[in-house]
Amino acid sequence: MKIAIAQLNPTIGNLTGNAEQILEAAKQAADSGVRLLLTPELSLCGYPPRDLLLYPSFVESMATTLQKLARDLPRTIAVLVGIVSPNPKAHSTGEKPLFNSMALLEQHEVQQIFNKRLLPTYDVFDEDRYFEPGLQPNSFNLDNLHIGVTICEDLWNDEEFWGKRSYEVNPITDLSNLGVDFIVNLSASPYRVGKQKLREEMLRHSASRFNQPIIYANQVGGNDDLIFDGGSFALNRTGEVVCRARAFETDLVMLEFDETKRDLLNSPPSPEGNLGEFSPLIASENEEIWRALVLGVRDYAYKCGFSKVVLGLSGGVDSALVAAIAAAALNPENVLGVLMPSPYSSEHSVTDARKLAKSIGISTQTLAIGNLMKGYDETLADMFAGTTFGLAEENIQSRIRGNLLMAIANKFGYLLLSTGNKSEMSVGYCTLYGDMNGGLAVIADVPKTRVYSLCEWLNRNGEIIPSNIITKAPSAELKPGQVDQDSLPPYEILDDILQRLIHDHQSPDQIIAGGHDAIIVNRIVQLVARAEFKRRQAPPGLKITDRAFGTGWRMPIASRWVVANK
């Protein structure tokens, strides 16, 4: 049997457009002799649809679109399509009203519906809010083959691999006991650094443990703060990867189940259908992150209806990286960098910004803010009389810049990109209604040390980011001679503390035992807690780590509890 994985990039809520993607992939696959086509989890509506699921009209429209898709598909191919389906027992039992489902379409009809069994509620997932779990193993017969069906999380409960069980059942065990010929998994698995290697290690273990071929179809593309990296793959009974789709791109990959060997084949590419397509894993974390961020910006802009973006160019490393990402995502002619020097700006902040713009090919505008600062000083003179220059005056400069950028964005219909990094967002080293302004925070999940690493990686084959931007001491330049280390520990120290605190959930004593100064640690812990109100008002930030300030971060603002020692 010839099988294909349609690695699709759906737009949430675009039922007609998503159905057209599925139909086009099905036609192409059918022309190559494919019998079974796999599409990702919730491929018809896009993942995650969140509270769109509360609208009955949305669910009804999905059912109507599914029926039309079934009628339009070629008769020679069976297609698994991700949908939401109603729970008929919800009213009488008090169960959740919907299932996260997969529909089998064949011969112009919906033949079967399979319901997801394991519903994640950790990190960015909140499926228990909407869905009732399926209770039965899912399988179907096609051309004398018995095929097991799982949906995303259904594969993430192998107690031997994890050393524990997060759910009572392991759907792979149930399907293996049923004697299926192979298992398919339809996923929408969000990206984080290194996740593809983890997926393959986990499923390699399950395939070899149960002597079971597994085909994994993943979604690709950006949806709000989440990035889906694709990388769909298949493993034979021994856990060997026999094909892999491209990362961060749509793809259609074909493979074959040999009924004699009862296994998936590791075949070379064939002219008629890319049989056995085998894209390599991305070797470098920096390349992986770069491609994720470029995809995230491209899809966020496109799916929100923007063709051009604007950002402030300070001559610093953060705005330089964001500008380079934007140019790669949307083409340089669609990126505007705005220089807004103040009397405190160094000469190199302007020259470095212009050199960067020339390097990546974007246009710039220069709007000096000195006169605007004087206007604020005059307006606030009486109220501020007798006080010393401090944070209030520094932040006014940032807010002037933020207002100018928002004015440009509003006037010309551009998307404003915020340029703050994760280290700054963690400790509140950012200004509300100033440098935090924007529709998308591109590097809000990228620590400062990683920002430098990404810029150095970009320059591996020649200078893209001017070297002075990378080597000079970072500074907000809001007062004479200011550098970030006036207020913060060196970023190598800060980022390690933040990693231990935010990602590893260590106590202050544990962080101090790791070699950090107690005074610095306790101060950083307090700053992280105090900055929560700022993060709540920040634009959505693209998620690249396992603990991002976004959908999966649910800290209270008004709280008297600060991370304490055990």
Side-chain angles (χ1 to χ4, degrees), residues 207-249:
S208 59
R209 175 189 175 189
F210 294 100
N211 192 33
Q212 192 71 65
I214 298 174
I215 308 174
Y216 174 85
N218 194 24
Q219 177 175 292
V220 72
N223 285 327
D224 295 351
D225 57 329
L226 302 183
I227 301 164
F228 298 86
D229 53 321
S232 304
F233 60 97
L235 308 104
N236 62 21
R237 291 184 181 277
T238 62
E240 178 187 8
V241 176
V242 298
C243 74
R244 184 186 297 117
R246 292 175 292 185
F248 304 106
E249 299 178 48

Side-chain angles (χ1 to χ4, degrees), residues 31 117 248 289 339 350 484 516 519 536 554:
D31 288 344
R117 301 185 66 189
F248 304 106
I289 293 168
L339 287 67
V350 175
D484 290 3
H516 291 288
I519 294 175
R536 191 71 65 88
R554 305 181 186 186

Side-chain angles (χ1 to χ4, degrees), residues 49-301:
R50 298 192 171 121
D51 279 4
L52 290 179
L53 298 174
L54 301 181
Y55 290 85
S57 60
F58 180 66
V59 179
E60 292 164 6
S61 295
M62 201 181 313
T64 301
T65 305
L66 182 70
Q67 292 292 339
K68 182 179 185 305
L69 176 61
R71 293 192 299 270
D72 292 342
L73 288 170
R75 293 185 67 89
T76 58
I77 193 169
V79 184
L80 287 169
V81 177
I83 61 164
V84 169
S85 63
N87 177 6
K89 298 193 298 182
H91 291 297
S92 60
T93 63
E95 295 178 351
K96 298 293 168 47
L98 301 171
F99 291 108
N100 181 339
S101 303
M102 188 63 58
L104 175 64
L105 309 186
E106 189 191 16
Q107 298 292 310
H108 299 327
E109 293 184 357
V110 179
Q111 300 289 349
Q112 286 180 257
I113 300 289
F114 311 103
N115 299 325
K116 186 174 183 177
R117 301 185 66 189
L118 306 184
L119 303 178
T121 58
Y122 55 86
D123 192 28
V124 301
F125 304 107
D126 199 11
E127 295 203 16
D128 188 57
R129 176 181 175 90
Y130 312 102
F131 300 123
E132 186 69 18
L135 300 179
Q136 303 298 325
N138 296 308
S139 65
F140 65 99
N141 293 303
L142 185 67
D143 298 351
N144 298 317
L145 291 180
H146 191 193
I147 301 166
V149 178
T150 58
I151 302 175
C152 204
E153 187 79 0
D154 290 346
L155 288 189
W156 289 75
N157 195 35
D158 188 326
E159 68 279 4
E160 280 194 6
F161 180 81
W162 297 107
K164 64 174 184 178
R165 270 198 175 186
S166 299
Y167 308 89
E168 291 184 5
V169 299
N170 182 354
I172 308 180
T173 303
D174 292 346
L175 291 174
S176 181
N177 291 338
L178 286 178
V180 298
D181 290 295
F182 62 91
I183 293 172
V184 299
N185 181 264
L186 303 311
S187 279
S189 179
Y191 167 77
R192 62 174 170 81
V193 180
K195 193 169 185 181
Q196 180 68 11
K197 291 181 181 179
L198 174 63
R199 293 185 192 115
E200 294 193 13
E201 289 172 2
M202 176 185 71
L203 293 188
R204 185 180 297 115
H205 179 275
S206 294
S208 59
R209 175 189 175 189
F210 294 100
N211 192 33
Q212 192 71 65
I214 298 174
I215 308 174
Y216 174 85
N218 194 24
Q219 177 175 292
V220 72
N223 285 327
D224 295 351
D225 57 329
L226 302 183
I227 301 164
F228 298 86
D229 53 321
S232 304
F233 60 97
L235 308 104
N236 62 21
R237 291 184 181 277
T238 62
E240 178 187 8
V241 176
V242 298
C243 74
R244 184 186 297 117
R246 292 175 292 185
F248 304 106
E249 299 178 48
T250 56
D251 208 352
L252 181 65
V253 176
M254 303 182 195
L255 59 151
E256 189 165 346
F257 183 84
D258 187 300
E259 297 181 36
T260 303
K261 297 180 179 179
R262 315 304 290 178
D263 206 355
L264 294 170
L265 296 182
N266 189 353
S267 302
S270 66
E272 67 274 11
N274 297 324
L275 186 64
E277 183 73 19
F278 207 118
S279 296
L281 286 171
I282 298 173
S284 160
E285 281 191 354
N286 284 324
E287 181 183 358
E288 192 180 288
I289 293 168
W290 167 263
R291 292 182 63 183
L293 295 174
V294 168
L295 176 61
V297 170
R298 180 185 297 130
D299 273 5
Y300 188 90

Side-chain angles (χ1 to χ4, degrees), residues 309-314 319-339 352-365 417 464-465:
V309 298
V310 60
L311 71 155
L313 281 187
S314 67
S319 62
L321 178 59
V322 172
I325 292 168
L330 302 171
N331 296 323
E333 63 268 22
N334 295 316
V335 181
L336 172 64
V338 183
L339 287 67
D352 288 345
R354 287 178 176 159
K355 187 175 181 181
L356 168 78
K358 183 177 180 180
S359 173
I360 61 177
I362 67 172
S363 59
T364 63
Q365 288 283 343
L417 302 179
I464 296 174
I465 308 296

